Amino acid sequence: MTVSPLIWGVTIAVILGLLAFDYFFHIRKAHIPTLKEAAVWSSIYVGLAVIFGVMVLVFGGATAGAEYFAGYITEKALSVDNLFVFLIIMASFRVPREDQQKVLLFGIVFALIARTGFIFLGAALINSFSWVFYLFGLILLITAGNLLKPEGEKDEANNFIIRIAKRVLPTTDHYDGDKLFTVENGKKVLTPMLLVMVAIGGTDILFALDSIPAIFGLTQSTFIVFTATAFSLMGLRQLYFLIDGLLDRLIYLSYGLAAILAFIGVKLVLHALHENTLWFINNGEHVEVVEIGTGLSLSVIIGILAFTIIASLVSPAGKAQTAVNNARRHANAYLDLSYTSDEGERERIYTALCEEEQQIGTMDKKYRDKVKDIEDIRAEVARAHEEHAKYINS
């Protein structure tokens, strides 16, 4: 697929325009998005991505269109998985809910810049060295295996960069609105807002190491790789607030993503064998293997994601884990209301906690008792009720 410099320029201008619009009309004034606002704008961004895909289909042909949609769906699924980590990071830093939009937009911009760099580097490597397909396939197979490992205790915010920053630079544990710097005891110091942005940026680089090989396994068109990646990131901020609280429900998402990445990894290895030039494999000659077409790739990706999501939503274990984890999150938030200056949050959080407790009470005991640290969670919920009683009687 040949793309003229004019089309490249218009596409980049549209993407930059969408980011600028997002900042000036949604982010500049700190606020907590309503569910309606998040739903409307998530739909708009998905709609724009679909419209762009239809244009690729019409002007670039069926193969290019299928490659774009396969790449977009894969990158969108990986982006949703990334939201789990963003949620952990912002909870670790206790980012005020009304300021989380700015952090997310920074993460999106940084991810776009980082992934663009990886895209052009990857394209240059592919054009020069066909053996890179072996490397990309190996990366995806290893990533798929890592997704299947049991999750241990993680503190995603406490990474190396943050520890160094806190050690060598003057920092404070207190927020000053959405400012990156503030004055404390007469000294200019870094706020947690800047540190959380560094943490988000660092994890974005790690995400790019997985996502870019994945999409290059579906298409080698730099334009399609770039646009599918960019549109998958657009609307991620709104999606965060739309499915916040439902992320834990997708208990089988990691298995689905592992299957998709493993499938694309195998596809890349098969393609590498077909294009083989390494002397120690088949004496440097191409290997006759079955290659996986774009249509089959798109069908497999959609099928795996659909099965994963449906299985997660109907699973009694998934429902129990979601409700218990949400109760823990709201209990923690209620016990630490200093994380936000919005007074309305107190009632919203406590109401959500009570609703989740009622939902948990209707569930089968064997499922809710299997949730990790269930006794600690019950203790935190009890403390939240005690604090609320004190607040009401004060």
Side-chain angles (χ1 to χ4, degrees):
M1 180 180 175
T2 303
V3 181
S4 69
L6 176 61
I7 298 300
W8 266 105
V10 171
T11 303
I12 293 172
V14 168
I15 291 170
L16 292 176
L18 289 172
L19 290 171
F21 175 83
D22 216 10
Y23 175 77
F24 287 106
F25 290 92
H26 293 129
I27 308 298
R28 207 170 183 183
K29 183 179 179 181
H31 72 286
I32 302 172
T34 63
L35 186 63
K36 180 181 178 181
E37 178 186 341
V40 168
W41 283 103
S42 292
S43 301
I44 289 174
Y45 279 112
V46 171
L48 290 173
V50 171
I51 290 171
F52 183 85
V54 171
M55 292 174 64
V56 172
L57 181 67
V58 171
F59 296 104
T63 299
E67 288 177 350
Y68 168 82
F69 281 112
Y72 172 75
I73 293 170
T74 300
E75 292 297 303
K76 198 69 174 178
L78 289 170
S79 296
V80 170
D81 189 51
N82 298 162
L83 290 181
F84 284 98
V85 181
F86 289 170
L87 188 63
I88 293 171
I89 290 175
M90 287 198 275
S92 298
F93 280 98
R94 298 188 301 171
V95 180
R97 190 169 174 81
E98 60 269 21
D99 294 323
Q100 289 179 3
Q101 291 197 92
K102 181 169 285 187
V103 175
L104 287 167
L105 184 62
F106 169 82
I108 291 169
V109 172
F110 191 91
L112 190 55
I113 294 171
R115 295 184 193 198
T116 299
F118 279 111
I119 287 168
F120 285 101
L121 176 62
L125 289 172
I126 286 171
N127 290 332
S128 302
F129 311 103
S130 61
W131 56 261
V132 170
F133 287 112
Y134 285 116
L135 179 61
F136 281 3
L138 181 61
I139 289 173
L140 294 183
L141 290 172
I142 292 173
T143 303
N146 288 335
L147 284 172
L148 297 177
K149 289 181 179 179
E151 293 185 4
E153 292 297 317
K154 298 186 295 184
D155 182 5
E156 299 287 350
N158 190 27
N159 60 37
F160 176 75
I161 297 175
I162 296 301
R163 293 198 298 271
I164 292 297
K166 287 185 174 182
R167 185 171 298 177
V168 302
L169 297 173
T171 62
T172 178
D173 292 329
H174 305 291
Y175 286 92
D176 185 7
D178 59 3
K179 294 179 181 177
L180 304 182
F181 299 90
T182 189
V183 176
E184 188 174 78
N185 298 324
K187 293 173 58 179
K188 192 172 185 178
V189 295
L190 307 179
T191 69
M193 182 62 69
L194 180 58
L195 295 179
V196 72
M197 287 185 174
V198 172
I200 292 285
T203 55
D204 276 331
I205 293 176
L206 296 177
F207 294 154
L209 295 175
D210 298 335
S211 67
I212 298 308
I215 192 169
F216 268 119
L218 299 168
T219 176
Q220 279 77 65
S221 167
T222 306
F223 181 75
I224 292 177
V225 171
F226 172 75
T227 52
T229 301
F231 277 106
S232 73
L233 292 170
M234 296 289 105
L236 192 61
R237 175 185 64 79
Q238 292 86 351
L239 188 63
Y240 174 89
F241 289 96
L242 179 62
I243 64 176
D244 180 21
L246 296 178
L247 286 173
D248 290 329
R249 181 72 170 271
L250 302 177
I251 60 173
Y252 301 127
L253 180 62
S254 61
Y255 296 101
L257 290 176
I260 290 172
L261 292 181
F263 169 77
I264 298 174
V266 170
K267 182 178 187 291
L268 276 171
V269 172
L270 290 174
H271 182 71
L273 288 169
H274 188 267
E275 302 292 327
N276 179 64
T277 57
L278 296 179
W279 62 269
F280 55 85
I281 298 177
N282 198 35
N283 296 317
E285 299 295 326
H286 300 337
V287 180
E288 292 300 324
V289 293
V290 175
E291 287 210 76
I292 301 172
T294 303
L296 178 59
S297 298
L298 180 58
S299 300
V300 169
I301 291 168
I302 292 175
I304 291 174
L305 279 178
F307 179 79
T308 299
I309 293 171
I310 293 171
S312 296
L313 294 178
V314 302
S315 165
K319 293 177 181 178
Q321 181 168 313
T322 300
V324 172
N325 284 340
N326 285 342
R328 172 174 53 188
R329 186 160 54 88
H330 285 121
N332 286 335
Y334 193 87
L335 291 169
D336 186 23
L337 286 170
S338 62
Y339 88 106
T340 179
S341 60
D342 189 337
E343 292 295 330
E345 279 289 274
R346 177 183 292 274
E347 202 56 42
R348 185 190 74 82
I349 293 170
Y350 189 74
T351 299
L353 175 60
C354 292
E355 290 174 351
E356 281 145 11
E357 277 192 290
Q358 291 178 355
Q359 184 182 358
I360 293 168
T362 64
M363 294 177 176
D364 194 316
K365 191 173 184 293
K366 69 178 180 180
Y367 293 119
R368 62 178 190 250
D369 285 350
K370 284 183 180 178
V371 177
K372 185 180 178 181
D373 300 327
I374 185 64
E375 294 303 326
D376 292 338
I377 295 171
R378 285 169 176 157
E380 289 178 10
V381 170
R383 284 177 54 213
H385 284 302
E386 291 174 4
E387 289 298 317
H388 186 70
K390 291 177 183 178
Y391 171 73
I392 294 297
N393 296 325
S394 62

